[in-house]
Amino acid sequence: MMKNMEVAWLFDQTADLMEIAGDDAYRVRAYRQASRSIADLDEDIETLYQQRRLQEIPGIGKELGKKIGEILTTGSFSFYDRLREKVPAGLVIMLELPGLGPKSVRSIYQGLGITSLEELEQAAREKKIRGLPGMGSKTELGILRGIEMLKGRGGRVPIGLALPLGEEMRSYLAGLPEVQGVEFAGSLRRWKDLVGDIDLVASVAETDWEKVLGGFAQHPRIKKVLEADPQRALVQTVLGVNIELIVVSPREFFLTVFRDTGSKAHWSALERYAADRRPDFSVGGCSSVSEFEKMVYLSLGLEYIVPELREDRGEIDAAASGTLPALVEVSDLRGDLHLHTDWSDGVNQLEVMVDAARRRGYEYIAITEHSKFLTISRGLTEERLLQQVEAIGKINRENPGLRVLTGIEVDILGDGQLDLPDHVLAEVDLVIASIHSGFRQEPERITRRLLAALENPNVDIVAHPTGRMLARREPYAFDLELVMRTAVQTRTALEINASPDRLDLNDEHARRFTEMGGVLAINTDAHDCRRLDDIRFGVMTARRGWVSADRVINAWPLDKLLEWLNRGD
DNA sequence: GCCGTTTTCGGCCCGACTGTTTTCAGTCG
């Protein structure tokens, strides 16, 4: 299925280039829709191509079908190649700066001949940007701030992109006859939200190292080899993500994975802790990395510390005193409380989403469409919401197995008012409030909006509380500490939005909030039933935040959840 | 570039906010 991601990625890049080149906006949108629709496919696009069924994909017609064929046979397509000659690659990166869109990038390119972030930064510092039509000092400031953000990201990619690619490469390697074992290491094994390189360690007899590294570099996803030595290869993939493969002899395998999982800070802390004792790395007879790691920790008098906790945030002391928390697991979750269907901007019918949730084994879900303010998402009016409540009532009567809670994701408007009146919100089982506008307001104003939502007794959850988009948008500036304190007081849950684009709250916020006494909801915010599986990203974020299942409202049994929803606050 | 019980041409989710303006273009969700 990685081919699907590649084609989707190429079409998305094409759309970026077309926009900068000033192509027709609807044509651009056709590429974007095609990209999304291919990324969401649950069939392999190569299979569809071979069966001549490409045009069954929504948004793919004759032209794009031909281009997909070109990509699958040659790795690229001529329209894209021509665009790349016309539009400097650096301009596409500028699109990632908040506030800069294709028109501005084009104007900067044409007016000043700037083609890279470095040149752009210099021009902004020299106050040359404000000479362009429609741009002033705030645009310059925004550019400089945006460049800082990109630097801070340091080329890391969201785990939602890295993990599927890593999983594919891992199973490819696992299938090679010379490979006796292969594991992730590094930040990916620790489930960090942003991942630098994908680290893989393979257990291979020394005589086969060269063969395995060579075979790895030949994989079609690999674009170029950046560094290579007898035990190691650093390669760049088609998606712009780097993979580092280390091959080690079987007897070194577990220890290498353990060490390379890091984090550096955890290992330093471990070495400080172990200064006067000796970790036993020679333990034998283990059948897995985690079993080996368990034995090593045990030799130091420590409880097992799972990879996602290895950040030097107090885990060693806790392991020494036997006070590591029992972390929430995917299997603890009994439902998903933030879902969209085609009643607003989701892709599936209500019934399809309900079926998918039942197949997943959930006891309950909540349907929470957008409210009317978000016209672009076909947000629900009061009337439509009440119609949906009726429709859900019918589903519940016909499907005793799974309880579907009625709900709404109501917008917190620019002035702190909610987008629907209280008497309407009172009609549904669960109310999520969230911000989708006015991200650049004064911090005090954003804080006030969030506090107003928390203090509304109808509001049960505040979704994606900081508004960040991973690697794309910083959180909005506001007083998160005060918001969390207030949420504890009003007994409102904050969300860990499990969408790999968001992961918001993040791990550290989730930890802080639950330590203050707050409760969380871990939700996918799925707009497509296939995205229900994203829940793993949210659960891992919670685990990295030391969260146990009792702090997660959708890990509670239905009767306890209902009781909580009816709490007076 | 896609799509069609409004169609094979002429549509294609739209409204708020921001920063730049002196009435609006560009960006964003």
Side-chain angles (χ1 to χ4, degrees):
Chain A
M1 299 292 280
M2 283 310 294
K3 267 289 175 207
N4 299 31
M5 280 186 71
E6 274 174 54
V7 176
W9 185 80
L10 271 173
F11 279 174
D12 208 45
Q13 289 283 303
T14 305
D16 284 346
L17 291 167
M18 287 167 77
E19 274 192 304
I20 297 169
D23 232 311
D24 174 65
Y26 290 112
R27 237 180 124 204
V28 174
R29 210 178 67 189
Y31 277 84
R32 292 231 192 270
Q33 273 170 343
S35 168
R36 192 173 165 188
S37 152
I38 292 165
D40 287 344
L41 276 180
D42 43 17
E43 271 188 277
D44 196 325
I45 196 160
E46 286 188 288
T47 313
L48 289 175
Y49 171 64
Q50 278 151 14
Q51 299 172 345
R52 304 186 186 289
R53 289 169 51 215
L54 286 177
Q55 289 187 45
E56 290 174 20
I57 306 171
I60 305 297
K62 219 173 153 187
E63 285 301 309
L64 286 175
K66 266 196 279 188
K67 286 169 174 139
I68 293 171
E70 216 182 321
I71 296 169
L72 293 178
T73 47
T74 71
S76 185
F77 60 111
S78 59
F79 177 56
Y80 173 70
D81 296 336
R82 282 201 307 279
L83 267 172
R84 284 214 302 180
E85 280 168 30
K86 199 162 84 176
V87 182
L91 300 186
V92 177
I93 297 166
M94 292 181 203
L95 290 177
E96 296 187 36
L97 299 171
L100 278 201
K103 299 272 169 60
S104 310
V105 168
R106 184 181 162 84
S107 152
I108 288 168
Y109 172 50
Q110 290 184 333
L112 300 170
I114 286 172
T115 59
S116 72
L117 274 188
E118 291 73 30
E119 291 166 6
L120 180 64
E121 183 174 11
Q122 193 179 352
R125 286 197 196 289
E126 291 170 357
K127 305 190 195 306
K128 285 183 182 161
I129 302 294
R130 63 184 67 179
L132 295 168
M135 298 197 204
S137 57
K138 292 214 175 169
T139 310
E140 267 169 4
L141 205 67
I143 286 171
L144 290 173
R145 265 209 293 260
I147 290 176
E148 280 310 302
M149 177 189 84
L150 289 188
K151 282 182 182 165
R153 192 209 303 172
R156 293 178 299 166
V157 297
I159 189 168
L161 183 65
L163 189 65
L165 178 60
E167 283 170 337
E168 159 151 333
M169 296 310 293
R170 185 178 59 181
S171 52
Y172 166 72
L173 287 166
L176 297 179
E178 297 83 6
V179 172
Q180 300 177 30
V182 55
E183 294 283 349
F184 291 135
S187 50
L188 189 59
R189 182 155 180 252
R190 303 198 312 278
W191 287 81
K192 273 197 78 168
D193 48 12
L194 287 172
V195 172
D197 298 338
I198 295 171
D199 293 305
L200 283 162
V201 181
S203 168
V204 179
E206 191 168 345
T207 46
D208 290 325
W209 284 355
E210 197 179 337
K211 190 170 175 196
V212 169
L213 287 172
F216 173 67
Q218 294 299 312
H219 190 280
R221 306 288 175 266
I222 308 301
K223 203 162 88 181
K224 103 179 154 201
V225 178
L226 301 171
E227 293 170 27
D229 66 40
Q231 271 193 277
R232 182 176 153 274
L234 179 67
V235 301
Q236 191 179 41
T237 68
V238 280
L239 298 178
V241 186
N242 293 344
I243 305 181
E244 182 175 49
L245 172 64
I246 292 177
V247 289
V248 295
S249 55
R251 65 188 161 73
E252 296 171 283
F253 179 53
F254 291 154
L255 179 57
T256 308
V257 174
F258 187 16
R259 274 199 181 280
D260 288 0
T261 297
S263 64
K264 286 200 183 76
H266 174 78
W267 273 83
S268 305
L270 201 58
E271 277 156 18
R272 280 197 304 279
Y273 173 81
D276 53 346
R277 15 185 144 199
R278 185 151 294 232
D280 185 0
F281 291 126
S282 67
V283 286
C286 298
S287 58
S288 70
V289 174
S290 57
E291 196 184 324
F292 172 81
E293 291 171 336
K294 239 171 241 176
M295 302 293 282
V296 175
Y297 281 118
L298 191 66
S299 74
L300 291 169
L302 296 173
E303 276 189 294
Y304 181 53
I305 302 172
V306 291
E308 56 269 30
L309 287 184
R310 298 178 198 164
E311 299 289 350
D312 189 23
R313 295 175 181 163
E315 67 274 13
I316 292 173
D317 285 345
S321 59
T323 53
L324 281 172
L327 300 175
V328 59
E329 295 181 24
V330 170
S331 58
D332 289 325
L333 294 197
R334 297 164 186 258
D336 194 326
L337 299 177
H338 186 168
L339 299 172
H340 298 270
T341 74
D342 65 359
W343 279 67
S344 65
D345 61 346
V347 304
N348 301 117
Q349 294 177 335
L350 182 52
E351 295 76 9
V352 174
M353 188 57 100
V354 170
D355 273 343
R358 183 188 297 105
R359 279 200 306 277
R360 244 188 159 280
Y362 280 147
E363 287 173 33
Y364 52 80
I365 55 171
I367 302 296
T368 54
E369 312 289 2
H370 291 291
S371 62
K372 63 183 191 295
F373 169 80
L374 274 190
T375 46
I376 193 169
S377 303
R378 299 193 298 276
L380 266 49
T381 60
E382 312 178 14
E383 292 73 25
R384 289 277 292 156
L385 175 58
L386 296 176
Q387 282 168 18
Q388 194 187 50
V389 169
E390 292 260 316
I392 290 174
K394 188 156 169 278
I395 288 178
N396 277 327
R397 283 191 295 278
E398 291 166 0
N399 297 274
L402 172 85
R403 171 69 181 271
V404 182
L405 301 171
T406 58
I408 187 79
E409 179 183 11
V410 65
D411 252 273
I412 303 171
L413 303 178
D415 59 0
Q417 301 255 56
L418 297 181
D419 189 31
L420 292 170
D422 285 333
H423 73 269
V424 176
L425 299 180
E427 293 295 315
V428 296
D429 297 318
L430 180 140
V431 175
I432 293 178
S434 61
I435 286 184
H436 296 104
S437 64
F439 303 126
R440 291 198 259 181
Q441 290 175 347
E442 287 298 305
E444 295 73 24
R445 210 170 143 199
I446 294 185
T447 307
R448 274 204 307 278
R449 289 164 75 191
L450 287 164
L451 295 184
L454 291 171
E455 276 152 14
N456 184 311
N458 289 308
V459 173
D460 303 301
I461 301 171
V462 169
H464 42 78
T466 79
R468 75 155 174 180
M469 298 291 270
L470 264 175
R472 284 220 310 276
R473 190 175 73 208
E474 294 287 287
Y476 25 75
F478 71 107
D479 189 343
L480 176 60
E481 187 72 15
L482 178 58
V483 166
M484 293 198 292
R485 270 209 309 276
T486 309
V488 173
Q489 280 162 16
T490 59
R491 301 173 68 203
T492 311
L494 296 183
E495 182 181 70
I496 292 180
N497 190 290
S499 160
D501 294 329
R502 291 189 183 271
L503 297 179
D504 176 15
L505 297 175
N506 70 21
D507 49 1
E508 292 180 278
H509 297 151
R511 181 171 177 186
R512 171 87 187 126
F513 181 57
T514 47
E515 283 175 357
M516 292 165 83
V519 288
L520 294 164
I522 305 175
N523 296 324
T524 59
D525 195 359
H527 287 64
D528 179 326
C529 60
R530 284 185 292 261
R531 298 248 73 93
L532 289 173
D533 290 335
D534 285 346
I535 199 70
R536 61 179 177 157
F537 296 109
V539 170
M540 287 318 269
T541 301
R543 290 171 64 86
R544 287 178 54 84
W546 295 52
V547 175
S548 53
D550 58 310
R551 312 309 300 168
V552 180
I553 64 170
N554 49 321
W556 296 346
L558 178 61
D559 52 358
K560 183 173 176 190
L561 175 67
L562 290 175
E563 196 182 312
W564 179 82
L565 287 171
N566 291 320
R567 74 205 179 284
D569 60 5

